[in-house]
Amino acid sequence: MLHFDLKQPSTRMMNPGQVPGQPMIGPPIDRERIYAWINELTNPETRENALLELSKKREVVPDLAPMLWHSFGTIAALMQEIVNIYAAINPPILTASQSNRVCNALALLQCVASHPETRSSFLQAHIPLFLYPFLHTVSKTRPFEYLRLTSLGVIGALVKTDEQDVINFLLNTEIIPLCLRIMESGSELSKTVATFILQKILLDETGLAYICQTYERFSHVAMILGKMVLHLSKEPSARLLKHVVRCYLRLSDNPRQAEQKFNSTDFKISTELCIYEDPLAEEKYNIVVFVFGRAREALRQCLPDQLKDSTFNNTLKDDASTKRWLMQLQQNLEAPLVPDPRGMPAHS
């Protein structure tokens, strides 16, 4: 199974064969062989082996993404691999061999999504949308779990960069409900990556405002997180719990802490993503305080008891950062209610 490293690769050029962040180990990579495999991607008869070999080399060839993107016909060949699998997902007849092959293509697309030189073009081409049919699948067989996990890895590579363009793109798609469904019913690893994606969206100011914009969005997120906490109390996973707690903590953020960010002249709220766009900074800030404040107040009512008692003490015994986040979450929810700037009474 492929290794899902969501860390952004270094932009510094390294010697062939050198793993990012590590000294060179083993013989140099044969770049002529890399070029040959890339050329073989455009030939249906040699593509499968080229996909396999290149997916093995994506961690050790730092400029593989630009090489793929700028090679004639290469991205088209990768997209052909994606589209060809659609017929096998509905009805769900995907085989292990088919899954492995398309996942090797997805691994190369993850490489392109991760690289700073190709990420923007990757988004402008709307390539992530071609992966969403895979995230819609519900079969729990291993080929489908592998397919969903690898597809999530591509989206995870995008959000790892913390770039505003990535968040804006994703918020105009159905990624949040797709992640929520996987968080509820996927495998532990798929749940972890899906929750990581939601966490990165929440950590962005625009993403947080989008989710807190309506009661329906907020309540759906809160409901799924609550179900996950209940499940984790029975089948603990420190890695997954860490992301769940971080999502809760972000939802509980004091809205007053957003004042400087939302009053900044270089931060604009798109009318496509938020409930308003007021040219008056004071009014804009008041609405933001109201929306975020109401989210925190709602969280008081629905935070699972397992996050308030000692249920996860043993799970988090070696995780100081998550314990600190959990303590901060409890402190945030104990803070005074936020008054409605429009003059309406606050609800407890």
Side-chain angles (χ1 to χ4, degrees):
M1 191 170 184
L2 294 172
H3 172 64
F4 291 88
D5 183 7
L6 300 181
K7 294 183 179 179
Q8 181 180 0
S10 171
T11 59
R12 178 176 62 87
M13 295 300 294
M14 292 170 286
N15 294 329
Q18 182 179 355
V19 179
Q22 296 181 4
M24 185 188 297
I25 300 176
I29 295 297
D30 184 351
R31 296 185 72 84
E32 292 303 317
R33 182 67 267 184
I34 297 296
Y35 288 126
W37 283 325
I38 292 176
N39 287 332
E40 289 172 7
L41 288 175
T42 58
N43 184 341
E45 296 182 0
T46 58
R47 184 179 300 164
E48 184 171 9
N49 180 69
L51 287 170
L52 177 61
E53 296 298 335
L54 286 170
S55 67
K56 294 177 182 178
K57 299 295 188 293
R58 64 193 181 96
E59 297 290 346
V60 296
V61 183
D63 54 346
L64 179 60
M67 293 165 67
L68 292 169
W69 187 261
H70 296 294
S71 298
F72 179 79
T74 298
I75 298 301
L78 296 179
M79 297 308 300
Q80 187 177 49
E81 290 295 308
I82 302 299
V83 175
N84 284 346
I85 292 298
Y86 288 169
I89 63 177
N90 188 20
I93 57 175
L94 185 69
T95 66
S97 176
Q98 288 175 311
S99 180
N100 287 335
R101 176 167 173 161
V102 72
C103 285
N104 285 334
L106 287 168
L108 296 182
L109 289 180
Q110 178 178 331
C111 176
V112 175
S114 301
H115 200 283
E117 293 183 25
T118 54
R119 187 183 308 117
S120 178
S121 298
F122 183 84
L123 284 177
Q124 290 174 8
H126 289 192
I127 291 177
L129 299 183
F130 289 87
L131 278 54
Y132 285 12
F134 301 155
L135 300 181
H136 270 289
T137 61
V138 295
S139 172
K140 293 186 179 297
T141 62
R142 186 166 184 175
F144 277 96
E145 281 289 358
Y146 188 20
L147 179 64
R148 282 191 295 271
L149 179 59
T150 317
S151 301
L152 286 170
V154 178
I155 308 300
L158 286 172
V159 298
K160 182 70 175 179
T161 65
D162 296 319
E163 293 183 358
Q164 189 67 51
D165 288 347
V166 171
I167 300 300
N168 289 342
F169 174 87
L170 292 177
L171 290 179
N172 281 291
T173 73
E174 56 182 330
I175 191 60
I176 292 177
L178 287 173
C179 283
L180 290 174
R181 184 164 67 178
I182 293 171
M183 288 163 60
E184 182 177 12
S185 59
S187 65
E188 180 186 327
L189 193 50
S190 291
K191 287 181 178 181
T192 301
V193 182
T195 310
F196 168 81
I197 294 170
L198 178 66
Q199 171 190 320
K200 299 298 284 187
I201 292 174
L202 281 169
L203 288 174
D204 179 86
E205 299 290 354
T206 307
L208 179 61
Y210 178 86
I211 288 176
C212 294
Q213 174 183 335
T214 68
Y215 173 78
E216 288 75 16
R217 290 176 188 165
F218 173 84
S219 62
H220 191 192
V221 171
M223 178 187 70
I224 297 302
L225 290 174
K227 288 182 177 181
M228 295 180 73
V229 170
L230 181 60
H231 179 77
L232 286 167
S233 67
K234 301 173 182 177
E235 299 181 22
S237 166
R239 176 174 53 181
L240 180 54
L241 180 61
K242 184 185 190 77
H243 294 303
V244 170
V245 170
R246 190 65 186 91
C247 288
Y248 270 120
L249 177 59
R250 180 56 169 157
L251 289 172
S252 76
D253 272 353
N254 188 332
R256 298 290 174 182
Q257 296 172 352
E259 178 176 7
Q260 182 177 1
K261 180 69 173 179
F262 275 86
N263 281 338
S264 172
T265 56
D266 62 358
F267 185 87
K268 305 299 180 184
I269 300 180
S270 169
T271 54
E272 296 178 355
L273 301 181
C274 292
I275 55 176
Y276 76 98
E277 182 178 16
D278 197 308
L280 300 176
E282 181 179 1
E283 180 65 16
K284 178 174 70 172
Y285 168 59
N286 284 342
I287 297 296
V288 168
V289 169
F290 170 70
V291 172
F292 288 4
R294 282 297 179 267
R296 188 174 62 166
E297 292 168 26
L299 206 57
R300 285 190 176 96
Q301 307 300 322
C302 64
L303 188 71
D305 291 337
Q306 290 86 351
L307 294 180
K308 303 175 186 177
D309 56 28
S310 60
T311 299
F312 295 111
N313 282 0
N314 188 57
T315 305
L316 300 177
K317 63 181 180 180
D318 298 321
D319 191 341
S321 62
T322 305
K323 287 191 290 187
R324 184 172 63 252
W325 291 342
L326 190 54
M327 183 179 302
Q328 183 62 53
L329 168 63
Q330 295 166 352
Q331 291 174 354
N332 286 354
L333 297 183
E334 291 170 359
L337 296 178
V338 177
D340 188 336
R342 301 176 301 180
M344 300 172 62
H347 298 283
S348 59

